[in-house]
Amino acid sequence: MAKRRKKKTTNNFLTYLAWFLAIIAIILSSLVAGYYFGYEDAKEEMASKTKYEKNKRLSVLKKLEKISSKKTRTTVNEKLKKVLKQESKAFAGASHEYGDISLPQAPKPPLRIKREVKRVSTKPKLAIIIDDVSVLSHVNAIKSLGIPLTMSFLPPSSFRPNSAQLASKEKIYMVHLPLEAQNFSAEEPLTLRISDSDAKISQRILKIKQMFPRVAYLNNHTGSKFTANELAMNRLLYALKSQNINFIDSRTTAQTKAPKVMKNLGLNYVARDVFLDHDMDKVSIKLQIKRAIKIAKLHGTAIAIGHPHANTLLALHESKALFKDVELVYINRLY
């Protein structure tokens, strides 16, 4: 009897143990399943939250970028609008450089000099010179564009006494030297004439060097009469050479004697290819920008000349995407 009772007790114990282990297994399975499904839910929730946060950040960044872009455009536009307001004498585009704007019909710009087509392996270089820079509003508006534009400063006068001081703050600049024109009613003070002597021209260039001690490049303001006179150009270019100043012909006349005289002096002739703002509307200026880029691609280099008028600078600002095919450089990177 004792043995049978003991065996029964053992069976009961094993049964209870089996049930206990089964219950534990069920509980553990539930926990694992709950953990798994909970983890997946949490994972999905976390991914959804992360995506939401990412989209939110992107939305905020886009808004900030839009606001920033709008502010930049506003700032640029505001600065450019100040250009003409602060200028004491406003000219009607580049046409004043090669003729009298008071005439009934505005003269046409002289054709650019013919150049040899030259394919280069490097990116074509385009230098844009902004003439007639003379007051702080010009400098601020030009620099607000954030692209390399070479400023050519008119010499100081009673109209613009601070032009040399403004130039001294720039790393690279030019001087826009007034030369005698065939017909021009708004002549700059101290304009050099074909009748000026060697001594007078040399003294003027020495004075320019004293006012602009770092000047290495100079181009002519007007000068359709002066640059067409071989004797006058001999005097001027000899004086410039003695001061280590390079002459860039604005090419205000097709009869310019600069190529011949510079060759005789052993100098390379360099001239502008395009006037950007003969016509002052933005559409015309943008077409001229495209033309300058095309010329740079043909010859490896090109020089364009514009003026610090609102439409010219706005056209340059709105044409930045066009410059991807060329390298915009200061004049000292070109020659």
Side-chain angles (χ1 to χ4, degrees):
M1 288 291 292
K3 284 183 180 180
R4 193 177 295 134
R5 191 181 294 116
K6 185 176 181 181
K7 186 177 180 180
K8 187 177 181 180
T9 303
T10 301
N11 289 339
N12 288 340
F13 173 76
L14 291 173
T15 300
Y16 293 147
L17 180 61
W19 277 107
F20 176 75
L21 291 174
I23 292 168
I24 293 297
I26 292 168
I27 292 170
L28 288 174
S29 297
S30 300
L31 289 173
V32 169
Y35 174 80
Y36 174 78
F37 290 115
Y39 171 76
E40 287 299 315
D41 290 342
K43 188 177 177 182
E44 283 184 21
E45 186 179 350
M46 183 62 71
S48 177
K49 189 175 181 180
T50 302
K51 186 177 180 181
Y52 171 77
E53 291 295 334
K54 184 179 179 181
N55 289 337
K56 188 177 178 181
R57 282 197 303 272
L58 285 173
S59 177
V60 171
L61 286 173
K62 283 180 181 178
K63 285 180 181 178
L64 288 173
E65 186 179 351
K66 190 175 180 181
I67 292 169
S68 176
S69 175
K70 187 176 179 181
K71 283 183 177 178
T72 301
R73 286 197 300 271
T74 302
T75 302
V76 169
N77 289 342
E78 285 176 354
K79 286 184 178 180
L80 296 181
K81 284 175 183 176
K82 292 179 182 178
V83 173
L84 294 178
K85 288 181 181 179
Q86 302 212 11
E87 176 59 6
S88 57
K89 271 193 304 186
F91 298 115
S95 59
H96 76 278
E97 294 284 0
Y98 39 84
D100 199 327
I101 58 173
S102 65
L103 295 175
Q105 187 172 359
K108 294 292 182 184
L111 296 174
R112 69 186 184 92
I113 192 168
K114 291 182 180 179
R115 296 170 62 193
E116 180 186 354
V117 174
K118 184 168 69 172
R119 302 291 182 181
V120 292
S121 56
T122 56
K123 205 170 188 180
K125 292 181 174 62
L126 172 62
I128 298 176
I129 298 169
I130 303 297
D131 282 350
D132 293 349
V133 180
S134 52
V135 292
L136 184 59
S137 60
H138 291 167
V139 175
N140 287 341
I142 292 165
K143 292 175 80 169
S144 73
L145 299 182
I147 56 178
L149 301 173
T150 304
M151 289 182 269
S152 193
F153 289 83
L154 284 165
S157 67
S158 57
F159 298 112
R160 47 187 72 85
N162 301 318
S163 61
Q165 184 182 353
L166 291 170
S168 68
K169 298 175 182 178
E170 303 304 316
K171 289 183 179 179
I172 176 73
Y173 61 82
M174 291 175 57
V175 169
H176 196 39
L177 184 67
L179 302 179
E180 187 177 4
Q182 290 289 354
N183 296 291
F184 194 48
S185 58
E187 191 174 75
E188 284 290 313
L190 302 176
T191 294
L192 289 177
R193 303 179 176 281
I194 61 172
S195 58
D196 290 338
S197 65
D198 284 337
K200 185 171 183 179
I201 291 174
S202 294
Q203 287 170 6
R204 180 63 175 151
I205 298 306
L206 180 61
K207 183 66 175 177
I208 291 291
K209 185 71 173 180
Q210 291 170 348
M211 291 187 292
F212 300 89
R214 289 185 290 107
V215 64
Y217 300 89
L218 176 149
N219 69 324
N220 52 295
H221 172 72
T222 64
S224 56
K225 186 174 183 177
F226 192 101
T227 57
N229 186 287
E230 188 174 342
L231 181 59
M233 285 303 293
N234 259 302
R235 291 169 175 164
L236 174 64
L237 289 167
Y238 184 81
L240 290 173
K241 187 178 180 182
S242 67
Q243 296 296 330
N244 295 314
I245 301 173
N246 298 288
F247 179 72
I248 295 175
D249 193 355
S250 298
R251 202 163 174 80
T252 55
T253 175
Q255 281 71 51
T256 177
K257 295 298 186 291
K260 180 181 178 180
V261 175
M262 293 181 82
K263 184 179 180 181
N264 292 339
L265 291 174
L267 302 170
N268 291 326
Y269 178 65
V270 180
R272 65 93 193 156
D273 294 290
V274 175
F275 273 126
L276 296 180
D277 44 16
H278 169 74
D279 297 308
M280 286 296 294
D281 60 288
K282 280 199 298 180
V283 173
S284 297
I285 295 168
K286 287 179 180 180
L287 287 174
Q288 289 298 89
I289 291 170
K290 290 177 181 177
R291 184 166 170 249
I293 291 169
K294 183 179 179 181
I295 292 169
K297 288 179 179 179
L298 278 174
H299 305 291
T301 61
I303 295 176
I305 291 179
H307 297 79
H309 299 294
N311 275 355
T312 303
L313 300 184
L314 279 170
L316 286 167
H317 176 64
E318 293 170 11
S319 300
K320 286 184 180 181
L322 298 175
F323 295 128
K324 66 181 185 301
D325 294 330
V326 295
E327 182 183 1
L328 273 182
V329 296
Y330 292 107
I331 195 66
N332 64 327
R333 288 275 317 280
L334 208 60
Y335 300 101

